[in-house]
Amino acid sequence: PKDVKLSEQSRGESFFSYGKIITANLPMVSEGCIVEYMFERETFNPYDKNMFFPGWYFQGYEPVYLSRYTVEIPKGKEIIYKSKNIPPEFDSPRISETDTSRLYVWKITDIPPITDEKNMPDYGDVVMHLDGSIFKDYNYIFDWLGGFQKNRAVITPQIDSLVHSLTDTFPRLRDKIAQIYYFVQREIRYISIKGSISSGQTGHPAQFTLENKYGDCTDKSILLATMLRVLDVPAWPIIVMTNSDEEIDRSIPSIDGNHSITQIQLDGENIFLDATSTTHRFPYYRDDDVGVSYLNPMKREIGFTSIPLPEDNSDVAIMDITVHPDRSVVVVETDSLVGDEEAGWRGFWEYVDKKKREYILQGWVNYAAPGAKLADWEIENVTDLNKPLHQLFSFTADDYGTLAKKLLILPIPFYENSYNFPEAATLERKFDIEYRSPRKKGHRVTISIPDNWKIEQLPENVELSNEYADFSASWTVKDNKIIFIDSFRLKTRIIPVEDYQMYREFLNAVSVYAKHNRPVFKVE
């Protein structure tokens, strides 16, 4: 309201001299009232007075009447800054100087709240905010972080001996790399113990991590890189911000990141490995590391992690269905899993007590057909990363399908709910759809029916495609067997909001097909 005077403390302040930050917002409320809140954070004697990265988020999940941010630095210094999502009329700061200081002031009024949407980008990617730095390039950061990392990535006699004991029986270099990857994943527990800024930013020496058999992401990435260098494989620990968090604009020099993984070069290709996982087979890594910017201080490089093809992150159900004259069925399913999909299932089965696996599978088959009975199952290679995860189960069910006089409508088990897309539930969106990684989902189904039954109707074949995803489904008959094959391929991570309507229509078409994809047989 215009008749309410604003407190002069309603601002965010950042002082370069000793790291004092005071921030405040004035939310918009009704009936002439303003609720003011403020928090204060002070850092005395910072670990490195050259490390100063001011930044502020002007927007949140509540309406804000005024958000003000002030940065004060010594006179003669300059801030490199970049804003995101800020309207042009508020984008430029007011800059002034005193005898000793240079001040930058941003002020934004009447800020609407953010409303959550399914699969939207992270908070930091959609709100009005700015990032700043006193560095014009990364040289100081490379020297500072890279120096710490080099001092920790030292090959010791124990590390050298261990690497050879793990790899000497494997002739191929890729297999040798895989053994080291598996060792650091599974034999070094993830535990974070930090005692200083150096250990916080760059972990502990590789030998220390090996001896203690524990470490966090920075410790594991340094140990993995050090062990790979025994084989003369170029390898470095790198800093990333996972794609579950906001995207980092590396054009503003900073040390921003929430995770550390390992970059290697093999046959002219960049390969990224995340040893904090315990279930990823080489050369795959966690899907939240996909397509994000990285900082490689030792190599003095900035880049992006790779984005896999859908086929490198896939889950395909291979199913044989035998229908008997009395409408009882025998279903055998084997799952072909690759990449992060395989790692996820491997982690699930390792977490589940072996005695409960059969109970869980019985619950699944009851979901496919009430009263179904689990006949057999195999879950193998759960802890052996050298072998693909083997996942098979079979079940029997009576009176399967829907009988209408002499026509039997036969559903494919589990298929109707295979393609649900809650991210496309709303008519409109304000924000992009963001996935963690491309992926593939598919089915290969063979149906055998009694000799005296006839195929009354098969669902139509479909081909749907756009630049972001494609879907195909086909029905064929061969040697008295009905064969159904489908494939859903998400080809990219991000769907721009301007293409939402087109993408939503595509997803809805896939979902509708899944709900009605049922062959019809004439029962004699």
Side-chain angles (χ1 to χ4, degrees):
K2 295 181 180 180
D3 58 345
V4 176
K5 294 184 179 180
L6 299 180
S7 166
E8 284 302 312
Q9 292 183 343
S10 57
R11 62 186 185 274
E13 295 186 339
S14 187
F15 294 92
F16 172 70
S17 58
Y18 56 91
K20 180 179 180 181
I21 299 178
I22 304 174
T23 53
N25 279 343
L26 294 180
M28 294 186 296
V29 295
S30 62
E31 306 204 359
C33 297
I34 290 182
V35 178
E36 180 177 355
Y37 65 90
M38 180 170 62
F39 67 87
E40 181 174 327
R41 182 177 73 244
E42 294 192 18
T43 303
F44 294 97
N45 192 22
Y47 58 85
D48 187 328
K49 293 184 178 181
N50 290 310
M51 293 288 184
F52 183 64
F53 309 106
W56 180 240
Y57 296 84
F58 295 90
Q59 199 170 13
Y61 294 101
E62 67 287 318
V64 174
Y65 181 70
L66 168 66
S67 184
R68 180 175 174 178
Y69 185 58
T70 300
V71 179
E72 182 177 358
I73 61 174
K75 193 173 183 178
K77 294 284 186 178
E78 184 179 359
I79 292 177
I80 307 300
Y81 63 88
K82 200 166 188 178
S83 64
K84 190 169 186 178
N85 304 317
I86 295 180
E89 62 269 27
F90 299 116
D91 197 21
S92 299
R94 178 171 56 83
I95 302 174
S96 62
E97 291 187 352
T98 67
D99 292 340
T100 60
S101 302
R102 183 178 178 90
L103 285 84
Y104 296 75
V105 180
W106 287 265
K107 185 174 74 171
I108 305 180
T109 59
D110 299 320
I111 305 171
I114 294 295
T115 303
D116 276 334
E117 295 178 343
K118 189 69 175 178
N119 285 86
M120 67 182 284
D122 181 74
Y123 167 88
D125 290 325
V126 300
V127 300
M128 304 177 192
H129 78 275
L130 62 90
D131 297 301
S133 173
I134 63 166
F135 297 124
K136 295 183 178 180
D137 56 46
Y138 275 90
N139 288 327
Y140 188 93
I141 294 173
F142 286 154
D143 292 339
W144 188 76
L145 285 177
F148 280 135
Q149 292 176 339
K150 289 175 184 177
N151 290 335
R152 285 153 176 73
V154 176
I155 299 173
T156 63
Q158 184 179 350
I159 290 175
D160 183 87
S161 175
L162 173 62
V163 168
H164 287 290
S165 69
L166 292 171
T167 63
D168 281 353
T169 58
F170 294 86
R172 296 175 64 246
L173 179 57
R174 284 182 173 263
D175 293 332
K176 293 178 185 287
I177 294 172
Q179 303 316 304
I180 297 173
Y181 187 32
Y182 302 156
F183 174 86
V184 181
Q185 282 192 80
R186 299 193 64 83
E187 301 301 325
I188 306 298
R189 291 178 298 157
Y190 184 90
I191 299 177
S192 181
I193 299 177
K194 300 300 187 185
S196 66
I197 185 61
S198 60
S199 64
Q201 286 289 340
T202 55
H204 300 88
Q207 179 65 31
F208 178 91
T209 303
L210 179 61
E211 289 176 354
N212 288 281
K213 294 294 188 293
Y214 65 74
D216 66 1
C217 61
T218 54
D219 300 317
K220 283 195 164 201
S221 63
I222 286 176
L223 176 60
L224 177 57
T226 305
M227 293 178 70
L228 290 172
R229 284 173 175 257
V230 174
L231 302 178
D232 295 323
V233 175
W236 307 268
I238 61 174
I239 297 171
V240 301
M241 184 75 82
T242 55
N243 61 38
S244 58
D245 213 309
E246 67 181 275
E247 182 180 354
I248 297 299
D249 187 342
R250 299 288 181 193
S251 67
I252 302 297
S254 75
I255 56 175
D256 277 350
N258 65 358
H259 192 39
S260 181
I261 62 176
T262 305
Q263 175 189 2
I264 73 173
Q265 285 187 340
L266 186 64
D267 300 329
E269 176 188 5
N270 273 328
I271 294 177
F272 300 92
L273 304 175
D274 188 340
T276 63
S277 168
T278 60
T279 57
H280 281 77
R281 299 179 67 225
F282 179 81
Y284 304 110
Y285 62 106
R286 282 175 21 183
D287 64 354
D288 58 341
D289 299 324
V290 166
V292 298
S293 66
Y294 67 80
L295 191 64
N296 185 335
M298 291 178 66
K299 198 182 177 188
R300 309 180 78 85
E301 177 182 270
I302 295 170
F304 283 86
T305 60
S306 57
I307 299 178
L309 296 172
E311 288 73 17
D312 290 327
N313 184 20
S314 69
D315 180 352
V316 178
I318 303 169
M319 194 178 299
D320 287 298
I321 304 174
T322 302
V323 187
H324 297 293
D326 62 356
R327 288 175 48 217
S328 65
V329 295
V330 177
V331 179
V332 181
E333 178 176 331
T334 304
D335 296 310
S336 176
L337 304 164
V338 179
D340 199 77
E341 290 287 343
E342 180 191 12
W345 279 110
R346 190 187 295 272
F348 173 77
W349 290 122
E350 187 169 17
Y351 173 78
V352 172
D353 188 284
K354 291 182 180 180
K355 297 178 182 179
K356 295 182 178 180
R357 292 176 182 174
E358 183 173 349
Y359 175 79
I360 289 173
L361 289 167
Q362 180 61 59
W364 289 0
V365 302
N366 282 336
Y367 177 79
K373 296 179 181 179
L374 183 67
D376 193 15
W377 63 276
E378 298 171 358
I379 306 294
E380 298 175 353
N381 307 328
V382 173
T383 60
D384 187 356
L385 296 183
N386 282 294
K387 299 176 182 178
L389 178 67
H390 175 64
Q391 183 170 301
L392 174 148
F393 63 93
S394 62
F395 67 91
T396 61
D398 297 329
D399 300 323
Y400 190 73
T402 301
L403 186 63
K405 293 187 177 180
K406 288 193 174 184
L407 296 180
L408 176 65
I409 304 171
L410 190 78
I412 298 173
F414 311 109
Y415 191 79
E416 181 175 345
N417 295 313
S418 293
Y419 300 110
N420 290 322
F421 306 103
E423 66 271 29
T426 58
L427 294 176
E428 296 181 348
R429 287 180 66 102
K430 292 183 179 180
F431 306 113
D432 298 344
I433 295 175
E434 184 172 307
Y435 301 103
R436 287 192 173 186
S437 175
R439 70 180 190 275
K440 175 182 176 182
K441 185 174 182 63
H443 301 78
R444 300 174 190 170
V445 182
T446 302
I447 303 174
S448 301
I449 59 174
D451 291 338
N452 61 337
W453 286 18
K454 294 181 181 179
I455 301 172
E456 183 72 15
Q457 180 178 320
L458 294 179
E460 64 179 4
N461 298 340
V462 299
E463 291 277 351
L464 305 172
S465 182
N466 55 63
E467 62 181 297
Y468 307 113
D470 54 50
F471 175 76
S472 63
S474 65
W475 288 87
T476 57
V477 179
K478 184 177 181 181
D479 299 330
N480 206 34
K481 293 182 183 296
I482 301 95
I483 300 171
F484 170 69
I485 299 175
D486 82 341
S487 172
F488 177 91
R489 298 170 67 253
L490 175 66
K491 298 181 285 188
T492 186
R493 282 190 56 236
I494 298 174
I495 314 300
V497 67
E498 56 266 24
D499 290 333
Y500 174 63
Q501 293 301 330
M502 176 271 293
Y503 185 66
R504 181 174 185 266
E505 290 177 6
F506 164 81
L507 294 184
N508 285 341
V510 175
S511 184
V512 168
Y513 184 87
K515 285 179 172 58
H516 299 283
N517 183 36
R518 301 181 179 189
V520 180
F521 303 103
K522 189 172 184 179
V523 179
E524 297 294 338

